[in-house]
Amino acid sequence: MEEINKDFNVPYYILEEIVEYIELTKEDYSKSMKWENIKALLNLAKVNNRFTQEQVDFIIEKYNRE
């Protein structure tokens, strides 16, 4: 597997969702629906060639708090 460029551009709408998700996890609210939404957005970004599968996997691994 090739090295992932960790400085890739994340669309603002996905970044917003991730930040909100992280804020919710601090307060211990139910967050699983928020995370499912983020995964759906990531997969759409992959389908639209904004992300590679490796980039999607990196974001999921880095920010999933389920």
Side-chain angles (χ1 to χ4, degrees), residues 25-66:
T25 59
K26 286 182 186 177
E27 299 169 10
D28 214 22
Y29 288 118
S30 175
K31 56 204 173 289
S32 62
M33 289 305 294
K34 175 62 77 177
W35 185 247
E36 292 302 315
N37 186 40
I38 291 169
K39 288 194 313 187
L41 289 172
L42 291 171
N43 284 323
L44 284 173
K46 186 184 88 173
V47 167
N48 290 320
N49 295 317
R50 294 291 308 261
F51 290 143
T52 65
Q53 183 61 51
E54 290 80 16
Q55 290 169 325
V56 170
D57 293 342
F58 173 78
I59 292 172
I60 289 172
E61 184 178 312
K62 180 88 172 167
Y63 297 105
N64 183 11
R65 300 194 175 175
E66 298 296 300

Side-chain angles (χ1 to χ4, degrees), residues 14-28:
I14 294 176
L15 181 62
E16 255 186 333
E17 291 293 316
I18 291 172
V19 169
E20 189 174 325
Y21 170 76
I22 291 170
E23 288 297 315
L24 287 174
T25 59
K26 286 182 186 177
E27 299 169 10
D28 214 22

